[in-house]
Amino acid sequence: MESKILKPILGVYVALFILFLYGPFIVLGIISFQQGPEGGPQFPIIEWSTYWYRHLFGMTPPSRIAPLPVGEALIRSLTLAFMTMVTSTVLGVMAAQAFRKRFRGSGFVFYLIVLGMMVPGVLTGLGISLLANNVLDIERHWFTTAFVAHVVYTFPFAFLVMLAILNRFDGSVEEASWSLGVSPARTFRKVTFPLIFPGVLSAMLFAFTLSFDEFPRTLFASGRDQTLPLAIYGTFSVEIHPNIFAFGVMTTLFSFALLAVYGILMGLSIRRAKKVAMQEEIE
């Protein structure tokens, strides 16, 4: 009796939650098909059109609406996210490996690492900016000071992901490799890394997505050259047009594409692990 009442209530609750979660994105996606160039961000739309998508790629006649400054800013954001992803993942794997054994001061070092994800982004960006200007006397730039700010923020996420993976790792396979005379470096490359590869993929995905749309830390630490979130924010102070929503739809589709690549690589990794396990059982 209780389940007959509870299930519909939970169903309605989940439906409302999903609507609340994705409703704004659906509305923005619809507005991105507003007519142009005179159509604004009103809802419901006046007339369906792909004008603002063609406007993003410079395929429309010249008008008073300036194109979004996404060219160089997008390249900077992608480059910065890639640099951050590689650095944070490597540091995360190395730090998690170190924490597989207890050492003096490990608790203090653990909280010191995760502190980077807890400190407000504005304070981190402002602190790095003041340090660069007043102490180190270096110019702020997106690939120096902003890069450090992004790594400070994303490294703890990569570290925690790898720590969770390595805590479930069966160390007996490494010991078997060492007992056969294989060096620790070759054991890590041939045995450990393939087994923890799904976790490495997750850490890379976290670091890239967090860095790609990071705003408060970049605002103070990037210097004169703007990344994509800063360039998009700069257009808000002038006038909002549906080309921003069209670009938001495009970047969301890009994120979905990244998730698809992640899913494919994860599936291949799991399939390879199952194949190796079956071969070991046969032997």
Side-chain angles (χ1 to χ4, degrees), residues 226-260:
Q226 295 181 330
T227 58
L228 185 62
L230 299 181
I232 296 297
Y233 177 75
T235 63
F236 290 172
S237 59
V238 181
E239 196 175 1
I240 297 177
H241 297 287
N243 54 355
I244 295 177
F245 308 136
F247 185 73
V249 172
M250 297 293 291
T251 54
T252 304
L253 293 177
F254 174 71
S255 299
F256 286 159
L258 282 181
L259 286 174

Side-chain angles (χ1 to χ4, degrees), residues 3-278:
S3 63
K4 290 182 179 179
I5 299 174
L6 189 60
K7 282 185 177 179
I9 294 176
L10 290 176
V12 172
Y13 173 77
V14 172
L16 289 175
F17 177 76
I18 293 175
L19 182 63
F20 175 78
L21 195 64
Y22 293 101
F25 174 72
I26 294 173
V27 171
L28 295 182
I30 293 174
I31 296 177
S32 68
F33 290 97
Q34 178 68 279
Q35 72 170 7
E38 301 302 328
Q42 65 264 37
F43 186 81
I45 64 174
I46 302 172
E47 183 179 345
W48 293 90
S49 169
T50 58
Y51 176 85
W52 296 110
Y53 288 91
R54 288 183 280 119
H55 185 268
L56 284 177
F57 296 101
M59 300 170 62
T60 55
S63 66
R64 68 177 184 86
I65 311 299
L68 287 177
V70 297
E72 295 182 355
L74 177 61
I75 294 174
R76 290 190 200 105
S77 282
L78 288 174
T79 306
L80 180 59
F82 181 79
M83 292 164 53
T84 303
M85 176 189 72
V86 173
T87 306
S88 296
T89 305
V90 171
L91 292 177
V93 172
M94 294 172 64
Q97 275 281 95
F99 271 82
R100 292 178 65 183
K101 292 183 179 179
R102 298 284 298 179
F103 57 90
R104 180 177 296 181
S106 59
F108 175 74
V109 175
F110 175 82
Y111 290 111
L112 200 63
I113 292 175
V114 299
L115 192 64
M117 61 190 288
M118 296 179 180
V119 176
V122 173
L123 294 181
T124 303
L126 189 58
I128 290 178
S129 173
L130 293 175
L131 182 68
N133 287 342
N134 301 332
V135 180
L136 301 177
D137 194 23
I138 60 174
E139 186 179 359
R140 289 173 296 154
H141 209 282
W142 63 271
F143 63 78
T144 55
T145 49
F147 169 66
V148 172
H150 282 216
V151 170
V152 169
Y153 176 48
T154 58
F155 167 48
F157 289 94
F159 167 68
L160 292 177
V161 169
M162 295 312 306
L163 197 63
I165 295 296
L166 289 172
N167 278 338
R168 300 197 307 267
F169 185 76
D170 184 7
S172 61
V173 292
E174 290 179 325
E175 294 173 359
S177 177
W178 297 335
S179 65
L180 294 174
V182 182
S183 65
R186 186 175 175 81
T187 298
F188 178 81
R189 187 163 54 89
K190 293 291 186 180
V191 177
T192 309
F193 187 77
L195 293 176
I196 65 172
F197 185 65
V200 175
L201 277 179
S202 301
M204 292 171 67
L205 186 67
F206 262 116
F208 187 89
T209 53
L210 288 173
S211 172
F212 184 68
D213 60 356
E214 170 57 29
F215 180 80
R217 294 167 180 80
T218 319
L219 178 64
F220 294 98
S222 65
R224 291 175 298 177
D225 296 330
Q226 295 181 330
T227 58
L228 185 62
L230 299 181
I232 296 297
Y233 177 75
T235 63
F236 290 172
S237 59
V238 181
E239 196 175 1
I240 297 177
H241 297 287
N243 54 355
I244 295 177
F245 308 136
F247 185 73
V249 172
M250 297 293 291
T251 54
T252 304
L253 293 177
F254 174 71
S255 299
F256 286 159
L258 282 181
L259 286 174
V261 172
Y262 169 76
I264 292 171
L265 292 175
M266 184 70 80
L268 292 174
S269 177
I270 293 174
R271 185 181 300 178
R272 182 175 180 276
K274 288 181 177 178
K275 188 176 179 181
V276 171
M278 290 178 63

